[in-house]
Amino acid sequence: MTTNRFRRTRVLVTGGAGFVGSHLCERLLADGAEVLCLDNFYTGRRETVAHLLDNPRFELMRHDVTFPVYVEVDRIFNLACPASPIHYQKDPVQTLKTSVHGSINMLGLAKRLRARILQASTSEVYGDPIEHPQKESYWGNVNPIGTRACYDEGKRAAETLFMDYHRQHKLSVRVARIFNTYGPRMHPNDGRVVSNFIVQALEGEPITLYGDGSQTRSFCYVDDLVEGLVRLMDHPDDDIGPVNLGNPGEFSMRELAEKVITLTGSSSRLVHRPLPEDDPKRRSPDIDRAKALLGWSPKVDLEAGLEKAIAWFKRLREGEA
Ligand code: NAD
Ligand code: UDP
Ligand code: UDP
């Protein structure tokens, strides 16, 4: 469903050439916005937004958010940050700078413009959670010195900055705690579980199950997430605090692998690989706040979403996506 909710609004999307960002840019254009997509192409690519370049309301700017930027906009979605463990761990210092310096710059920009700004935070702020499912009131269980810390602690510091700019400078902020999201336009070498499993299944290669595959995640289809993000940005109350956005359906990685094998009709077998350091054992969002505040809940179940993602990866292999 689209609306005219962003008609004539100038919207900056940082990380706009990434997986989620490209879908968000597309949605905002459909809702009438003028979209400035800013990206340093660290994990994102021009190709994800190539189909938008002809739209006169769309502009693509190469820029790294760790450096100041002076543009004129009404709304800011701050998505810039690599999201896949293999990519955010490749240059951990840059990952932390992106969350901390990047957030300071985008908050400074929002403060100068008195623009509303939304941070793409993450379920990783809950770390390897002791409470289950995770509510926004849970403070989390994060290893501050491990190999995931550059991402987790960066996102936690970003949340602190967002809340402090709100308290200290009366800035209008929104914080979305996004749980694992998947769908078309994930990079085939992204390294996250859904794209890995689908690509491996389609190639007939072994499916790499880390650990014993009993760890769980809850997967949200990207269109559902984007709907949640635009509703959160639109919410009129500046004091709502962080809101979980995710699909509560919880699956083990073994179940996910089996579903992907069934849906692709693949002959791939499962192979075990070591469980990465600090890999969270269980994860599922409590979405009562999103339901109550935004009237939002995900509509696409895992099977239907996987089918759409698989269809896209097939087209990509055939050179059509
Ligand atoms: P992605 O890696 O596909 O996209 C991130 C984008 O940010 C890329 O286009 C990348 O080039 C860009 N980027 C990285 N560092 C930058 C910098 N310093 N300056 C400018 N651009 C930079 O990841 P995604 O899945 O699209 O995630 C988007 C956002 O949502 C991220 O902030 C991520 O932490 C958050 N998030 C995503 C998920 C998920 O499951 N997809 C879950 C929780 C949170
Ligand atoms: N900033 C920016 N664009 C702007 C305004 C600010 O990139 O339009 C950056 C600027 O580099 C600054 C940061 O945002 O370092 C934080 O700005 P703020 O006004 O909060 O802090 P100050 O400038 O006082 O350090
Ligand atoms: N995973 C896996 N095989 C892979 C990639 C990931 O079993 O090829 C597991 C990983 O150990 C984790 C889960 O899948 O338990 C989700 O991993 P992902 O990197 O997608 O996201 P995150 O760990 O950040 O939730």
Side-chain angles (χ1 to χ4, degrees):
M1 191 195 68
T2 54
T3 67
N4 276 332
R5 61 180 5 130
F6 288 102
R7 198 166 171 75
R8 295 202 187 86
T9 309
R10 296 165 304 174
V11 186
L12 169 63
V13 180
T14 77
F19 158 56
V20 174
S22 67
H23 288 273
L24 180 61
C25 288
E26 199 171 272
R27 168 62 191 268
L28 292 167
L29 288 170
D31 281 353
E34 286 177 30
V35 176
L36 175 56
C37 169
L38 182 155
D39 207 295
N40 69 349
F41 304 118
Y42 181 65
T43 48
R45 294 169 302 152
R46 276 175 202 285
E47 288 82 346
T48 62
V49 289
H51 61 298
L52 305 177
L53 289 171
D54 284 344
N55 189 322
R57 286 184 284 109
F58 182 77
E59 197 180 338
L60 177 60
M61 178 178 176
R62 182 179 201 128
H63 182 80
D64 184 323
V65 289
T66 62
F67 296 98
V69 63
Y70 291 82
V71 291
E72 310 304 313
V73 291
D74 309 299
R75 294 270 189 274
I76 303 168
F77 286 89
N78 188 36
L79 271 58
C81 186
S84 165
I86 60 163
H87 293 295
Y88 70 62
Q89 290 170 2
K90 207 180 294 167
D91 189 348
V93 173
Q94 171 67 10
T95 299
L96 201 48
K97 280 185 186 170
T98 293
S99 279
V100 176
H101 294 187
S103 292
I104 291 174
N105 286 329
M106 293 310 108
L107 286 160
L109 174 68
K111 183 181 133 207
R112 176 175 65 80
L113 300 169
R114 302 315 299 173
R116 185 178 296 169
I117 178 166
L118 180 148
Q119 166 67 355
S121 189
T122 168
S123 52
E124 295 290 334
V125 300
Y126 302 122
D128 189 3
I130 290 163
E131 277 184 23
H132 191 81
Q134 292 79 54
K135 282 188 195 319
E136 290 86 346
S137 54
Y138 178 46
W139 289 354
N141 178 38
V142 173
N143 174 1
I145 55 170
T147 52
R148 291 175 84 97
C150 60
Y151 184 75
D152 300 11
E153 295 291 15
K155 290 287 187 176
R156 286 168 67 95
E159 286 201 10
T160 309
L161 284 162
F162 270 69
M163 297 315 288
D164 280 336
Y165 268 79
H166 171 56
R167 283 185 286 256
Q168 193 176 333
H169 297 301
K170 306 282 170 277
L171 204 62
S172 178
V173 303
R174 304 287 180 270
V175 175
R177 287 187 180 154
I178 302 169
F179 285 64
N180 297 60
T181 300
Y182 69 100
R185 290 200 211 118
M186 292 187 96
H187 195 288
N189 299 327
D190 178 87
R192 280 177 279 186
V193 69
V194 174
S195 44
N196 272 10
F197 284 4
I198 294 177
V199 170
Q200 290 162 347
L202 292 178
E203 299 291 341
E205 287 171 1
I207 296 204
T208 51
L209 200 53
Y210 299 166
D212 64 4
S214 64
Q215 70 274 27
T216 68
R217 294 292 186 276
S218 301
F219 296 102
C220 187
Y221 188 68
V222 64
D223 290 356
D224 282 333
L225 173 68
V226 165
E227 180 64 35
L229 290 174
V230 299
R231 286 190 191 208
L232 181 57
M233 177 59 102
D234 250 8
H235 194 278
D237 187 349
D238 282 342
D239 290 305
I240 52 175
V243 178
N244 287 342
L245 293 178
N247 189 323
E250 187 183 352
F251 298 87
S252 72
M253 294 311 99
R254 178 175 289 279
E255 286 174 309
L256 177 71
E258 284 163 358
K259 267 189 195 300
V260 170
I261 289 175
T262 307
L263 292 171
T264 51
S266 173
S267 55
S268 292
R269 58 192 178 85
L270 302 183
V271 289
H272 289 275
R273 294 280 176 268
L275 190 67
E277 185 185 320
D278 294 334
D279 200 279
K281 284 180 267 315
R282 294 189 76 184
R283 188 184 286 157
S284 177
D286 180 314
I287 57 165
D288 284 354
R289 295 200 76 230
K291 281 184 181 161
L293 289 166
L294 314 176
W296 175 87
S297 59
K299 301 279 176 275
V300 183
D301 68 22
L302 184 58
E303 216 153 284
L306 284 177
E307 275 173 359
K308 290 172 198 254
I310 289 166
W312 182 82
F313 276 104
K314 276 187 182 160
R315 288 204 303 279
L316 188 69
R317 284 179 85 223
E318 288 152 15
E320 290 166 20

